[in-house]
Amino acid sequence: MSALTFREAAPQDLEAIIRLHEEDELGSHGDAWTPENRPAYEAAFAAIAQSSENSLFVALDRDEVVGTFQLTFIPNLTSRGALRVKVESVKVKGARRSGGIGSQMMIFAEEEARRRGAGMLELTSNKTRTEAHRFYERLGYTRSHEGFKKKL
Amino acid sequence: MSALTFREAAPQDLEAIIRLHEEDELGSHGDAWTPENRPAYEAAFAAIAQSSENSLFVALDRDEVVGTFQLTFIPNLTSRGALRVKVESVKVKGARRSGGIGSQMMIFAEEEARRRGAGMLELTSNKTRTEAHRFYERLGYTRSHEGFKKKL
């Protein structure tokens, strides 16, 4: 593998990003790059791009999108007002898993969080993803919380 | 108990909010309303107030702040770009616990999330807070995820 590069996602990356969501049977929530879904994804992409508190990244191997993740910067009062960063929608291309892409993405996320002055990184991971849990623990994350969701 | 009212927090509520954090021995992260900490809280409060994607609320019984919580609205691609709402820093005044304040706050949070067009509510809760977990499950939340944190 050549060295990965990271940059914020551009509109022309949207299809490749949604293809990574599609591959992820567990967390996919029915996501698929179809003509019917496309306007909803474009609207969400625009909302992320306009937000100064959200950054959507792609990991590239040369020109190929091999991973993606989103950072949400959350101002809050806890810990004397330390900025928090939520890492979300972490996806690696199926054919490229176990090749270190995830680790490189998480290291980049941590650098970006420090650069923005954050005091805490946080993320949630579906309880069935036991391999991912070991991966996050190896990276120094503590599995201290229960994660709850409610669909509206 | 008279009916609670809810509104976005104003600068003059900041001390009362931090007092609620102080009372919470588990999640307090050393939070205390001291002259040394005050500038950091004021800066974080201003950052929340300026953010269109964050709202800090207080629950009032007449003029008394009896609870607080923060909503973070997160644009994202998952589930065809459905807006997510993270509920964070949920605190009820110690002397007023088990009196239904938490439920009323969570109902208000859900209404606010729907009003903003969200498709999903999410929150994390420290693994030791077993009573809180039952509370969230009663409110229709599914404990589907592991929550990871890393201090920077």
Side-chain angles (χ1 to χ4, degrees):
Chain A
M1 183 170 73
S2 47
L4 298 181
T5 55
F6 296 92
R7 61 165 169 73
E8 289 210 40
Q12 64 270 22
D13 302 316
L14 185 55
E15 178 175 351
I17 295 170
I18 300 301
R19 297 285 184 205
L20 297 182
H21 282 254
E22 250 182 77
E23 277 188 0
D24 180 0
E25 65 298 327
L26 179 62
S28 69
H29 307 272
D31 283 305
W33 183 255
T34 62
E36 306 79 59
N37 289 347
R38 206 174 140 161
Y41 290 127
E42 286 168 349
F45 184 90
I48 297 167
Q50 277 162 31
S51 167
S52 60
E53 287 158 1
N54 284 275
S55 298
L56 179 66
F57 289 95
V58 284
L60 298 154
D61 185 2
R62 293 181 189 161
D63 292 335
E64 187 191 5
V65 173
V66 293
T68 182
F69 58 96
Q70 180 172 336
L71 301 184
T72 302
F73 300 90
I74 305 179
N76 78 110
L77 296 171
T78 304
S79 296
R80 300 181 196 81
L83 183 69
R84 289 181 179 218
V85 179
K86 186 178 195 309
V87 189
E88 196 47 81
S89 303
V90 179
K91 313 275 177 196
V92 172
K93 199 174 170 74
R96 302 292 297 272
R97 272 179 211 149
S98 309
I101 292 172
S103 303
Q104 288 187 62
M105 293 202 308
M106 295 304 293
I107 290 165
F108 179 89
E110 191 168 325
E111 284 168 1
E112 188 67 10
R114 288 182 198 276
R115 195 181 67 76
R116 300 261 304 233
M120 175 84 88
L121 277 163
E122 60 177 58
L123 60 90
T124 67
S125 177
N126 192 294
K127 281 185 184 282
T128 61
R129 298 190 200 265
T130 52
E131 258 187 73
H133 303 163
R134 285 192 291 272
F135 167 73
Y136 293 125
E137 285 173 335
R138 280 198 301 275
L139 291 172
Y141 286 80
T142 305
R143 194 195 313 198
S144 54
H145 284 61
E146 298 286 347
F148 292 84
K149 311 252 179 202
K150 183 176 182 175
K151 275 200 185 176
L152 296 181
Chain B
M1 183 170 74
S2 47
L4 298 180
T5 54
F6 295 92
R7 61 165 170 74
E8 288 210 41
Q12 65 269 23
D13 302 316
L14 185 55
E15 178 175 351
I17 294 169
I18 300 302
R19 297 286 184 203
L20 297 181
H21 282 254
E22 249 183 78
E23 276 188 2
D24 180 0
E25 64 299 327
L26 179 62
S28 70
H29 307 272
D31 283 305
W33 183 255
T34 61
E36 306 79 58
N37 289 348
R38 207 174 139 159
Y41 290 127
E42 286 168 348
F45 184 89
I48 298 167
Q50 275 162 32
S51 167
S52 60
E53 288 158 1
N54 283 275
S55 298
L56 179 66
F57 289 96
V58 285
L60 297 154
D61 185 2
R62 294 180 189 163
D63 294 336
E64 187 191 5
V65 173
V66 294
T68 182
F69 58 97
Q70 180 172 337
L71 301 184
T72 303
F73 300 89
I74 305 179
N76 77 109
L77 296 171
T78 305
S79 296
R80 299 181 196 80
L83 183 69
R84 290 181 179 219
V85 179
K86 186 178 195 307
V87 189
E88 196 47 82
S89 303
V90 179
K91 312 276 176 196
V92 172
K93 197 173 170 75
R96 301 293 296 274
R97 269 175 215 152
S98 310
I101 292 172
S103 303
Q104 288 187 62
M105 294 201 310
M106 294 303 292
I107 290 166
F108 179 89
E110 191 168 325
E111 284 167 1
E112 189 67 11
R114 288 182 198 275
R115 195 180 68 76
R116 301 259 307 231
M120 176 83 89
L121 277 163
E122 60 178 58
L123 60 90
T124 66
S125 177
N126 192 294
K127 280 184 185 283
T128 62
R129 298 190 201 264
T130 52
E131 259 187 74
H133 303 163
R134 285 191 292 271
F135 168 73
Y136 292 125
E137 284 172 336
R138 280 198 301 276
L139 292 172
Y141 287 80
T142 305
R143 194 194 312 198
S144 54
H145 284 61
E146 298 286 346
F148 292 84
K149 312 254 179 200
K150 183 175 182 176
K151 276 199 186 180
L152 297 181

